[in-house]
């Protein structure tokens, strides 16, 4: 297999975890005799500090030409108070739209041995395995009109969804459920929002095409409660852009850390793969970030963009074996005894298991 992967390290801990994922990809390529070309390009605050927009034209072109894109993180407090066009996050939103990736797959699984690491009782989360399917290119984050009034004293955003946008993300959710446990939970706020009423109507229509998959509807507030009181009831959760963003971060609390959650944005050209966590500027450069989410995102890249299921499985088993051996980055200790391993140390351990596989 030959493929080009555009690496966008980004801001904060992004460069550290991206290099961890790149090391893993290089080992897999060597073990499986693949020819993977990894190219690095700026985005977000890194690009802004160089005098470029948050998504430079050269980065845009490189991502469009690549077989897949692996992103570290974007976000920098230095640019928090500027106009939208000059914020790092704008580059990510533009990239998602440029690649036309409308479906964000966010798996949340409880790795054996980590059941005691979260805030929930171990029996609540043991064996947890859910997939959040988030619509990525519509809704409140992209709706128009948006902005502030002329006097600057009010601001507004528009939540908008069209039937085709809802239908295509629902299809992704139902097809995913067919490969899992056959349950789709659709999240909305249909008792208040007109967009949610259309959402529920369309998802129900799509569900009728999948008699082998059970569909249930949940208001977003009820769903958020159930995720912490009965998380094992969920299989595939499908939600709009805003609700999916919030609920997938809540899933990080279920499994013990956002540092464990990978994601795949698919449906367009190649795909965009990134850890769910942010740039965490407070720990950047200290070699203490958890690289697991980025490494697992690389596994999702192999599976969803390059069709390399076996290689993806090898990476995921290496992650599982490393965690089962007791290695923990600082975010996974949660006050427990034991010494934390560094970002590079955790990466070394995963790479060692890959080389021994």
């Amino acid at each position: 297999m030959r493929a080009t992967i555009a690496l966008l390290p980004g801001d904060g801990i992004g460069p550290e975890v991206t290099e961890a994922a790149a090391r893993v990809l290089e080992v897999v390529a060597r073990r499986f005799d693949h020819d993977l070309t990894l190219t690095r390009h700026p985005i977000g605050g890194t690009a802004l500090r160089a005098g470029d927009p948050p998504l430079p034209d050269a980065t845009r072109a490189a991502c469009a030409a690549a077989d897949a894109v692996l992103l570290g993180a974007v976000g920098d407090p230095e640019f928090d108070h500027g106009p939208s066009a000059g914020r790092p996050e704008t580059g990510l939103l533009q990239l998602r739209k440029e690649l036309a990736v409308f479906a964000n797959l966010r798996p949340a699984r409880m790795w054996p041995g980590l059941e005691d690491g979260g805030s929930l009782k171990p029996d609540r989360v043991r064996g947890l395995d859910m997939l959040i399917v988030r619509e990525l290119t519509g809704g409140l984050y992209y709706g128009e009109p948006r902005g502030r009034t002329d006097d600057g004293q009010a601001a507004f955003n528009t939540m908008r969804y069209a039937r085709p946008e809802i239908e295509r993300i629902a299809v992704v959710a139902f097809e995913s459920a067919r490969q899992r446990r056959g349950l789709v939970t659709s999240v909305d706020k249909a008792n208040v929002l007109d967009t949610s009423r259309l959402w529920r109507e369309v998802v129900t229509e799509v569900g009728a095409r999948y008699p082998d998959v059970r569909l249930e509807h949940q208001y977003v507030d009820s769903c958020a409660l159930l995720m912490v009181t009965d998380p094992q009831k969920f299989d595939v959760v499908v939600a709009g852009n805003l609700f999916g963003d919030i609920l997938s971060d809540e899933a990080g609390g279920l499994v013990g850390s956002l540092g464990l959650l990978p994601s795949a944005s698919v449906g367009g050209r190649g795909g965009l793969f990134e850890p769910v966590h942010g740039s965490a500027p407070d720990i950047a450069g200290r070699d203490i970030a958890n690289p697991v989410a980025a490494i697992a995102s690389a596994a999702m890249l192999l599976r969803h963009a390059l069709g390399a299921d076996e290689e993806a499985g090898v990476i995921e088993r290496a992650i599982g074996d490393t965690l089962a051996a007791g290695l923990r980055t600082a975010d996974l200790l949660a006050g427990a005894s034991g010494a934390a391993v560094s970002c590079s140390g955790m990466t070394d351990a995963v790479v060692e298991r890959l080389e021994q596989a």
Side-chain angles (χ1 to χ4, degrees):
M1 179 176 63
R2 288 190 175 189
T4 298
I5 300 171
L7 302 180
L8 311 184
D11 307 317
I13 62 173
E16 300 168 60
V17 299
T18 301
E19 286 308 307
R23 283 187 60 196
V24 166
L25 286 171
E26 288 166 351
V27 172
V28 168
R30 186 170 64 251
R31 292 297 305 273
F32 285 84
D33 197 25
H34 297 319
D35 183 3
L36 299 183
T37 300
L38 309 181
T39 63
R40 292 164 174 79
H41 311 276
I43 191 174
T46 302
L48 289 167
R49 277 193 295 274
D52 293 320
L55 181 62
D57 288 342
T59 300
R60 188 192 306 264
C63 292
D67 295 290
V69 179
L70 182 64
L71 172 73
V74 294
D76 190 320
E78 179 183 340
F79 304 100
D80 278 354
H81 304 291
S84 294
R87 294 175 66 98
E89 295 82 1
T90 298
L92 176 56
L93 294 177
Q94 291 172 341
L95 181 60
R96 288 171 177 168
K97 192 168 186 178
E98 184 78 16
L99 296 176
V101 287
F102 66 86
N104 186 224
L105 311 179
R106 296 189 166 189
R109 62 186 294 187
M110 175 54 67
W111 294 97
L114 293 183
E115 293 87 353
D116 293 321
S119 57
L120 299 183
K121 295 178 180 178
D123 63 309
R124 295 277 184 177
V125 294
R126 185 171 289 109
L128 175 68
D129 181 10
M130 74 170 69
L131 174 66
I132 297 178
V133 179
R134 169 191 172 194
E135 199 288 322
L136 200 59
T137 56
L140 197 63
Y141 291 3
Y142 289 94
E144 297 289 348
R146 60 168 53 207
R148 301 184 69 162
T149 55
D150 291 340
D151 62 4
Q153 299 306 301
F156 52 93
N157 291 85
T158 301
M159 180 179 283
R160 180 186 183 279
Y161 270 115
R163 178 175 289 271
E165 294 175 296
I166 303 170
E167 182 174 16
R168 66 184 183 179
I169 195 67
V171 168
V172 171
F174 282 98
E175 290 290 342
S176 298
R178 272 186 167 170
Q179 306 303 315
R180 293 168 53 88
R181 301 192 304 278
L183 170 63
V184 169
T185 302
S186 177
V187 179
D188 58 43
K189 193 62 177 170
N191 56 338
V192 175
L193 300 175
D194 289 315
T195 49
S196 282
R197 294 183 189 115
L198 177 63
W199 179 280
R200 182 171 292 209
E201 175 185 322
V202 175
V203 171
T204 300
E205 291 174 2
V206 174
R209 306 176 202 164
Y210 294 85
D212 53 327
V213 177
R214 185 161 58 94
L215 169 64
E216 62 178 27
H217 298 279
Q218 287 285 342
Y219 295 142
V220 63
D221 43 353
S222 174
C223 183
L225 175 63
L226 284 171
M227 280 181 64
V228 295
T229 56
D230 191 14
Q232 295 190 45
K233 80 178 298 295
F234 294 103
D235 180 18
V236 175
V237 178
V238 62
N241 212 338
L242 175 64
F243 297 158
D245 193 1
I246 295 169
L247 292 175
S248 57
D249 275 19
E250 184 182 7
L254 300 180
V255 301
S257 172
L258 283 177
L260 297 170
L261 297 185
S263 78
S265 300
V266 297
R269 296 189 301 276
L272 172 63
F273 303 84
E274 57 181 307
V276 170
H277 63 68
S279 59
D282 55 320
I283 63 171
R286 296 169 57 189
D287 195 27
I288 62 174
N290 188 343
V292 167
I295 294 171
S297 295
M300 294 189 78
L301 182 155
L302 290 169
R303 175 174 290 118
H304 292 282
L306 304 182
D309 285 340
E310 182 181 358
E311 292 86 332
V314 168
I315 293 175
E316 290 162 348
R317 285 192 293 276
I319 293 172
D321 290 346
T322 300
L323 294 172
L327 279 77
R328 303 286 185 268
T329 45
D331 59 310
L332 298 178
L333 287 175
S337 60
V341 299
S342 63
C343 177
S344 55
M346 181 66 84
T347 306
D348 289 342
V350 174
V351 166
E352 180 181 355
R353 284 161 177 81
L354 282 173
E355 291 177 334
Q356 294 173 350

